[in-house]
Amino acid sequence: MIVILRSDVTDAQIDHVLERVEALGFRAHLSRGTYRTIVGVIGDEQKIRVDTLEAIPGVAQVVPVMPAYKLASREAHPQASIVDVAGVKIGGGYLAMIAGPCAVESAEQMDIIAGAIRAAGANILRGGAFKPRTSPYSFQGLGEEGLKILREAGAKHGLPVVTEVTDPRLVGRVDQYADMIQIGARNMQNFNLLSEVGQTRKPVLLKRGMSATIEDLLMSAEYVLSQGNSRVVLCERGVRGFDKVTRNLFDVAAVPACHALSHLPIIVDPSHATGRPDLIPACAYAGIAAGADGVHIEVHHCPEQAKSDGPQALRPAEYAEVMVQMRRLAEIMGKTISVPPGANS
Ligand code: PEP
Ligand code: MN
């Protein structure tokens, strides 16, 4: 921040400004000009408020410098960005309704789920082929075979597909099959992966890390943008909390906060945020009411047999009910749920 002092500022006031800046935990750099004196405030700009400094006697104006995430910032791009995923628009008034199982398990499973979510009104199919599991003994995904199954299910039901990439070496392969590449919470700060995905021209679904601040999330988006890929969609999927009642802590305020700081679309993922099917509908609605550009929900036709994240999956009929309410909310919010181009209705 740059603190510009009044032209009639006294030496005592200057000393007081320096003292206050340092008392707030920042370093102050004084620069006396012929007509104006300014103080450079050095430290994490997110931790200091403009009005706190503006209230100090002798201060004329406080000017924040550009955020470190220049390309992702609103200043750089005042208009909301619209990301096009094979014809499905996200952001700027268009909502993504992403649904599907946590993991691709079989062609039959994907066919059933894709048909059901398409009928309910979803516009993008999800399914993990490379699963980042906390335990090395858990199901790791079907790999390339899973990518093929996902692609086929998407093509059959007229839905673009999104799937996660976990390793920079796999980006090329995932790029071949996916319409959108997901970077999961556990990899949000895998900078090599971000850069590699930034070199593709595929839309990217960037999930917030479990302990990531909003600034961290925007800095990760900056990695992708800085490589020339401007098609980033952020995803609030909950952060680690202290309460075991929910899997994570759903930070719905991140939605309007990101919109204020960045032009990038942001969707919510109440499935990973809560881990509880009974809480997913309310959090999905809250996300839309907060201005989210879409909702990502895990759906499985037989959650008890799911190989990953079964307990948090909605059944197709439950998803269809949630979609009815989300459509109503979208209308209230003046938003449009993009119709997938492959849809026949
Ligand atoms: C997922 O989408 O299945 C997933 C692993 O999500 P997250 O990275 O948000 O935990
Ligand atoms: Mn999952």
Side-chain angles (χ1 to χ4, degrees), residues 102-103 126 131 207 247 272 298 308-309 312:
C102 184
R126 68 148 281 144
K131 294 303 304 171
K207 294 186 123 192
R247 182 173 175 184
H272 294 89
E298 286 188 347
S308 157
D309 281 350
Q312 74 188 26

Side-chain angles (χ1 to χ4, degrees), residues 44-98:
D44 184 354
E45 201 171 286
Q46 301 292 318
K47 292 190 181 141
I48 195 162
R49 288 163 50 120
V50 168
D51 53 1
T52 307
L53 295 173
E54 276 181 341
I56 305 175
V59 173
Q61 203 188 345
V62 176
V63 185
V65 294
M66 277 287 282
Y69 45 87
K70 292 193 195 83
L71 299 172
S73 74
R74 266 282 169 195
E75 282 101 323
H77 194 294
Q79 284 282 92
S81 281
I82 298 176
V83 173
D84 190 303
V85 180
V88 171
K89 290 191 182 115
I90 310 176
Y94 294 96
L95 300 183
M97 290 297 169
I98 304 177

Side-chain angles (χ1 to χ4, degrees), residues 14-320:
I14 294 175
D15 288 345
H16 181 62
V17 170
L18 300 178
E19 262 169 42
R20 287 296 304 134
V21 167
E22 273 162 13
L24 287 163
F26 292 79
R27 282 200 296 127
H29 183 270
L30 180 67
S31 171
R32 284 180 193 267
T34 314
Y35 301 104
R36 286 283 190 167
T37 297
I38 62 171
V39 177
V41 178
I42 302 152
D44 184 354
E45 201 171 286
Q46 301 292 318
K47 292 190 181 141
I48 195 162
R49 288 163 50 120
V50 168
D51 53 1
T52 307
L53 295 173
E54 276 181 341
I56 305 175
V59 173
Q61 203 188 345
V62 176
V63 185
V65 294
M66 277 287 282
Y69 45 87
K70 292 193 195 83
L71 299 172
S73 74
R74 266 282 169 195
E75 282 101 323
H77 194 294
Q79 284 282 92
S81 281
I82 298 176
V83 173
D84 190 303
V85 180
V88 171
K89 290 191 182 115
I90 310 176
Y94 294 96
L95 300 183
M97 290 297 169
I98 304 177
C102 184
V104 176
E105 297 162 11
S106 69
E108 191 199 6
Q109 170 233 22
M110 288 309 295
D111 186 29
I112 295 169
I113 297 171
I117 61 134
R118 168 75 193 88
N123 50 22
I124 298 179
L125 175 66
R126 68 148 281 144
F130 296 97
K131 294 303 304 171
R133 305 306 299 277
T134 301
S135 164
Y137 309 116
S138 301
F139 177 60
Q140 303 288 313
L142 295 181
E144 189 160 2
E145 180 58 20
L147 294 176
K148 287 183 187 157
I149 293 172
L150 176 68
R151 177 82 266 163
E152 274 165 27
K156 177 169 172 193
H157 295 280
L159 293 166
V161 297
V162 57
T163 195
E164 180 165 353
V165 67
T166 50
D167 184 321
R169 293 166 298 185
L170 294 170
V171 170
R173 217 171 317 159
V174 172
D175 188 20
Q176 249 181 284
Y177 296 95
D179 297 301
M180 184 179 216
I181 302 175
Q182 176 174 324
I183 294 193
R186 289 157 192 80
N187 274 307
M188 190 207 82
Q189 286 188 316
N190 181 337
F191 302 117
N192 290 332
L193 186 60
L194 294 167
S195 296
E196 200 65 34
V197 166
Q199 279 166 30
T200 73
R201 291 299 170 261
K202 277 284 155 71
V204 178
L205 181 60
L206 178 60
K207 294 186 123 192
R208 181 179 183 181
M210 317 190 190
S211 328
T213 63
I214 287 170
E215 193 184 2
D216 293 337
L217 174 62
L218 294 173
M219 287 307 295
S220 290
E222 191 77 11
Y223 264 90
V224 179
L225 300 175
S226 69
Q227 295 299 312
N229 186 348
S230 57
R231 305 165 78 190
V232 176
V233 175
L234 308 170
C235 179
E236 165 54 42
R237 48 77 73 206
V239 288
R240 271 263 152 91
F242 53 81
D243 195 332
K244 291 200 168 68
V245 167
T246 56
R247 182 173 175 184
N248 288 295
L249 195 58
F250 181 44
D251 181 8
V252 74
V255 172
C258 282
H259 277 153
L261 295 170
S262 174
H263 56 90
L264 298 173
I266 175 164
I267 69 166
V268 292
D269 170 0
S271 298
H272 294 89
T274 66
R276 283 181 47 176
D278 57 329
L279 304 183
I280 289 170
C283 292
Y285 308 150
I288 297 179
D293 301 294
V295 180
H296 167 288
I297 294 180
E298 286 188 347
V299 177
H300 200 288
H301 64 297
C302 187
E304 66 183 49
Q305 283 176 25
K307 293 196 167 133
S308 157
D309 281 350
Q312 74 188 26
L314 290 191
R315 289 177 174 79
E318 293 166 330
Y319 181 69

